[in-house]
Amino acid sequence: MQVLDITYMLELVPILLQYLPLTLEMATLGMVLALVLAGLLAVVRVLKIPVINHFTILFISFFRGTPLLVQLFLFYYGLPQIFSSLTAIDGITATVMGLTMHFSAYMAESIRAAIVGVDRSQTEAALSIGMTNAQLMRRIVLPQATRIAVPTLMNYFIDMIKATSLAFTLGVTELMGATQKEAAGSFLYFEAFIVAAVMYWIVVELLSWLQRFLEIRLNRAYSR
Amino acid sequence: MKALLLSVIAVLTLAISPLSLAQASAQSSGGSEPLNVGMSGRYFPFTFVEKDQLKGFEVDVMNAIAEELGREVNYHTAAFSGLFGMLESGRVDTVANQITITEDRQKKYVFTQPYVYDGAQVVTKKGNDEVSNVEDLKGKTVAVNLGSNFEALLRDLPYADQIDIRTYESNLEQDTALGRVDAFVMDRISASQIIKEKPLPLELAGPTFSTIRNAYPFPDTEEGRALRDDVDAAIDALREKGTLKKISESWFGTDITRP
């Protein structure tokens, strides 16, 4: 039985920690952009805006129906063969773009469900007291939809953080890429991957904590 | 709500600024035309990382070539399966990852002269006496790196249909040591080096079964061919000066740069 090389693991912590910000940056940027895109897609779907609605359905179908890795390879290695100017896109940008489109397809459906999930009677009540559609959305529907959507959206964010580990195939050395290279140099697989696992785990645990805080905050009006 | 919005904006600015900085610096270094080289960083002892430092035979040789050409080198590390994509999409000029000259690859790329001569080697878990040469692989499971020429070598064997070939993105040495596959096939040099220096219980099984010549691939374009000729001339010069031999001996104790 081989004993864990603790010294090596401790040495690895500060090295791998340097790559954590890039992982978080790609995920955070991807999340913010995906939220915006998903919001737009959801609104198109809820209001069934003609023509655009069909494109939206196609978009969601494609990005939900194909693996993220396939999409990343398609953008990064495939498209530049046809449009050579796309070579200017670097790996980080391509990863963020891929994450944005892939996850916005999922998130659009969950935001749509949250909007539809707000009881119709509230819409009718708001309209009856003379609120405009914009007021109705801003004051009545969206605050409640947000509350419904937060847990699932947080899940997607957590998923997105872990999905950044695919970026090494596009030449971006993030946390997982750095770990793989260190493991390939030392052949101490267990040590290297457990350090990476604990790092991802701690980040996700912090986010779960943030999620609980958000949920309590958003539920305040309902729990008394 | 306002506080939440502010924190989102703060996170966003933090996220964007390093990205845009990285892009800006990438653009500003365009004047000196550095050589862009792709490698996996996961192929000990040719290209690997130790404490965040990219090292290996490939790095030393490419640095010497760049010095000969009077150019800087930018190393781009990516998973092996991404390397040819990077070459194909023009993101790197060449790949320095022990790329073997094969017929299929020659249809797409132009190669320099070989700078490493090696052989394909069967490696097993220590104490596995069932496999002692390449014929013994009949009825066995064998690991090879995805997209490597070793996969093609195995598939060209007359009894290939009796071998269960498993392709790996990485860590095939570990799976062999764990006993999940009966053997793996790699080049003799790195296999010997891994066995000598690393803690995995592995052993070489028999002699090498195919000669392989490794070189730098370039895209088959006017620009690619011109760069290939420059690099080829640099390899000639390094051979003459004895630099190649010196680098090889520092890593392997023998000269692997000659047939």
Side-chain angles (χ1 to χ4, degrees):
Chain A
M1 182 68 190
Q2 187 183 338
V3 184
L4 270 189
D5 191 340
I6 303 285
T7 327
Y8 175 70
M9 287 169 73
L10 290 177
E11 280 173 0
L12 220 48
V13 170
I15 293 170
L16 294 184
L17 222 43
Q18 293 171 37
Y19 292 92
L20 187 59
L22 180 59
T23 289
L24 295 179
E25 277 156 24
M26 290 194 296
T28 311
L29 194 55
M31 183 66 185
V32 174
L33 295 175
L35 265 179
V36 174
L37 186 55
L40 292 174
L41 294 173
V43 168
V44 171
R45 295 278 282 116
V46 170
L47 300 180
K48 296 198 173 67
I49 300 175
V51 189
I52 316 177
N53 194 26
H54 292 287
F55 282 110
T56 309
I57 292 170
L58 187 69
F59 180 92
I60 292 174
S61 160
F62 177 78
F63 284 99
R64 261 201 332 183
T66 51
L68 177 58
L69 188 59
V70 174
Q71 293 161 14
L72 291 176
F73 270 54
L74 203 57
F75 291 143
Y76 196 64
Y77 299 125
L79 284 181
Q81 287 195 326
I82 304 168
F83 309 103
S84 58
S85 60
L86 289 179
T87 309
I89 296 175
D90 62 27
I92 295 175
T93 314
T95 306
V96 172
M97 275 169 53
L99 290 174
T100 301
M101 295 204 245
H102 185 80
F103 281 92
S104 69
Y106 286 93
M107 284 159 54
E109 292 298 273
S110 112
I111 292 174
R112 184 171 70 96
I115 293 175
V116 176
V118 175
D119 202 296
R120 175 116 192 108
S121 64
Q122 302 209 12
T123 304
E124 284 162 1
L127 293 175
S128 77
I129 58 167
M131 275 195 187
T132 63
N133 266 325
Q135 283 173 330
L136 159 73
M137 269 302 185
R138 198 161 50 84
R139 294 189 187 167
I140 310 288
V141 177
L142 286 184
Q144 297 185 77
T146 309
R147 174 177 155 268
I148 301 170
V150 158
T152 50
L153 293 181
M154 207 55 155
N155 252 349
Y156 288 127
F157 185 41
I158 286 169
D159 223 11
M160 202 185 276
I161 290 173
K162 293 181 289 189
T164 56
S165 58
L166 295 175
F168 189 49
T169 52
L170 306 193
V172 179
T173 304
E174 36 60 64
L175 180 53
M176 185 58 191
T179 312
Q180 285 183 297
K181 286 194 280 180
E182 294 290 346
S186 67
F187 287 78
L188 296 170
Y189 299 99
F190 192 65
E191 282 87 343
F193 292 131
I194 204 146
V195 172
V198 169
M199 282 185 186
Y200 281 113
W201 192 5
I202 290 174
V203 168
V204 170
E205 203 39 50
L206 288 175
L207 281 171
S208 311
W209 182 80
L210 177 70
Q211 181 184 340
R212 278 195 288 278
F213 168 79
L214 265 178
E215 281 183 30
I216 292 168
R217 188 84 174 67
L218 292 166
N219 275 331
R220 204 174 276 169
Y222 297 86
S223 55
R224 53 180 87 207
Chain B
M1 207 60 192
K2 205 176 255 177
L4 184 69
L5 194 67
L6 279 178
S7 63
V8 168
I9 291 171
V11 170
L12 188 59
T13 9
L14 275 178
I16 294 172
S17 53
L19 294 185
S20 42
L21 278 179
Q23 277 164 351
S25 67
Q27 274 157 6
S28 64
S29 61
S32 60
E33 284 273 326
L35 207 55
N36 289 305
V37 177
M39 53 172 60
S40 72
R42 298 196 299 193
Y43 196 17
F44 180 86
F46 290 104
T47 154
F48 64 101
V49 167
E50 210 170 63
K51 309 228 169 85
D52 223 17
Q53 281 279 340
L54 192 59
K55 300 178 183 176
F57 173 85
E58 292 284 17
V59 177
D60 288 354
V61 173
M62 189 45 83
N63 283 344
I65 289 172
E67 200 179 333
E68 200 64 37
L69 296 174
R71 292 171 72 165
E72 300 267 303
V73 199
N74 276 344
Y75 291 108
H76 303 263
T77 48
F80 188 80
S81 52
L83 288 177
F84 278 105
M86 290 176 107
L87 184 61
E88 199 83 350
S89 55
R91 287 185 169 89
V92 296
D93 298 314
T94 189
V95 175
N97 208 78
Q98 291 300 294
I99 303 302
T100 298
I101 304 172
T102 65
E103 254 176 61
D104 282 347
R105 286 176 183 159
Q106 271 175 319
K107 283 178 200 151
K108 279 201 111 163
Y109 308 108
V110 290
F111 279 91
T112 59
Q113 59 180 292
Y115 63 101
V116 165
Y117 293 83
D118 200 351
Q121 173 72 48
V122 180
V123 184
T124 58
K125 186 177 178 176
K126 207 172 196 155
N128 180 351
D129 298 329
E130 284 177 41
V131 180
S132 54
N133 58 52
V134 67
E135 279 85 38
D136 292 342
L137 294 179
K138 270 182 226 170
K140 297 281 190 290
T141 50
V142 184
V144 282
N145 270 316
L146 175 68
S148 71
N149 61 302
F150 300 110
E151 185 186 346
L153 272 181
L154 282 180
R155 295 202 192 281
D156 283 346
L157 291 173
Y159 45 91
D161 51 340
Q162 294 175 56
I163 307 176
D164 182 2
I165 301 170
R166 309 253 172 103
T167 49
Y168 278 66
E169 184 67 58
S170 58
N171 310 339
L172 76 177
E173 305 93 337
Q174 168 79 337
D175 246 21
T176 309
L178 290 173
R180 283 204 196 106
V181 289
D182 295 307
F184 70 83
V185 174
M186 207 189 237
D187 66 282
R188 185 185 186 89
I189 296 162
S190 41
S192 319
Q193 218 57 26
I194 290 166
I195 291 167
K196 203 162 73 186
E197 295 187 19
K198 299 299 171 183
L200 296 180
L202 297 168
E203 62 185 14
L204 303 181
T208 55
F209 65 93
S210 173
T211 317
I212 52 184
R213 299 172 308 136
N214 300 335
Y216 299 111
F218 288 87
D220 194 5
T221 59
E222 201 175 318
E223 228 174 287
R225 281 190 294 270
L227 193 53
R228 189 270 313 264
D229 294 343
D230 288 350
V231 172
D232 213 37
I235 296 175
D236 277 335
L238 292 172
R239 243 186 236 293
E240 224 144 277
K241 285 188 211 165
T243 315
L244 278 188
K245 184 172 185 238
K246 215 170 76 192
I247 294 172
S248 170
E249 281 175 348
S250 77
W251 283 104
F252 307 105
T254 70
D255 188 5
I256 63 168
T257 63
R258 278 169 199 283

